[in-house]
Amino acid sequence: MTFSIVAHDVATGQVGIAVASKTLAAGARVPSIKTGVGAIASQAKGNQLYGPRGLALMAAGASAADTVRLLIAADEDQDIRQVHVMDRQGHFAAHTGAECLEWCGHVVKGSFSAAGNILAGANVLEAMVAAYEAGAELPFAQRLIAAMQAAEQAGGDKRGRQSAALLIQGDKEWALLNLRVDDHADPLAELARLEAIARPA
């Protein structure tokens, strides 16, 4: 019921996740990042254990691909899950369960991954990918938001919109940016407004 992007900004070393959904407070459930370990976005009928378990697996040395494999192997409801992961080496992997609601799917690229379910169509992820790739000159936070806005303009979550979030970590244990819009008529526009306020002068 959600679309999201997990990305590694190679120039700065920052890792970010942006998410938007028709459901309430997607930012409370979807993104998980630990500096020096990796990042996970768990959605569709999200399993709230995927974040902490996945980060623990990667902290112990598991790759992104192994983390996804181990998470879904231990989950009898894997067919309704969607998850995408980045490990400490900057490698990505993803899973979209066979029973996730249409349109659903994921794209894994060199420095980012995108995933969504209950979308207007495949063009939503295509627009997200194209916008992220075209935004290389933008600051990382703005690039992530621009990718999400492009996905929404392509149809986004076909049920509508309600929440959005942006989480970015650098080389510290705490987030550089942790913005959530839990219930709003235009959550990505509000997220962009908050990012502009939070942006260093």
Side-chain angles (χ1 to χ4, degrees):
M1 302 170 282
T2 302
F3 55 103
S4 62
I5 181 169
V6 179
H8 176 216
D9 185 33
V10 177
T12 64
Q14 295 173 9
V15 177
I17 300 175
V19 57
S21 180
K22 177 59 177 76
T23 62
L24 183 71
R29 301 183 308 277
V30 173
S32 299
I33 303 175
K34 185 170 178 60
T35 298
V37 174
I40 298 175
S42 172
Q43 55 199 46
K45 295 290 186 180
N47 184 329
Q48 297 301 295
L49 297 176
Y50 274 22
R53 285 180 177 172
L55 291 175
L57 286 166
M58 288 189 286
S63 67
D66 284 342
T67 298
V68 170
R69 178 180 58 80
L70 291 167
L71 287 173
I72 64 174
D75 186 354
E76 64 182 12
D77 291 321
Q78 61 178 265
D79 286 344
I80 59 173
R81 312 292 190 206
Q82 187 173 55
V83 61
H84 51 139
V85 173
M86 188 203 87
D87 63 27
R88 71 178 72 199
Q89 303 301 323
H91 299 144
F92 290 79
H95 164 79
T96 297
E99 296 179 13
C100 289
L101 299 178
E102 293 291 339
W103 187 90
C104 58
H106 59 262
V107 177
V108 174
K109 302 290 253 181
S111 63
F112 69 99
S113 59
N117 59 93
I118 317 186
L119 302 182
N123 59 309
V124 174
L125 289 192
E126 291 167 1
M128 187 192 300
V129 168
Y132 187 79
E133 291 180 330
E137 300 305 314
L138 292 172
F140 188 40
Q142 294 171 53
R143 187 180 184 186
L144 290 168
I145 292 173
M148 295 295 291
Q149 289 175 323
E152 183 174 86
Q153 290 163 9
D157 185 327
K158 66 183 178 183
R159 302 160 307 152
R161 53 194 182 181
Q162 186 169 13
S163 67
L166 176 65
L167 176 61
I168 295 177
Q169 300 251 153
D171 60 358
K172 308 297 185 187
E173 289 296 317
W174 55 87
L176 287 173
L177 197 60
N178 188 359
L179 301 175
R180 281 176 44 185
V181 179
D182 287 343
D183 186 10
H184 195 279
D186 193 349
L188 283 171
E190 179 65 4
L191 190 68
R193 186 186 74 84
L194 293 175
E195 187 280 328
I197 293 171
R199 195 180 305 159

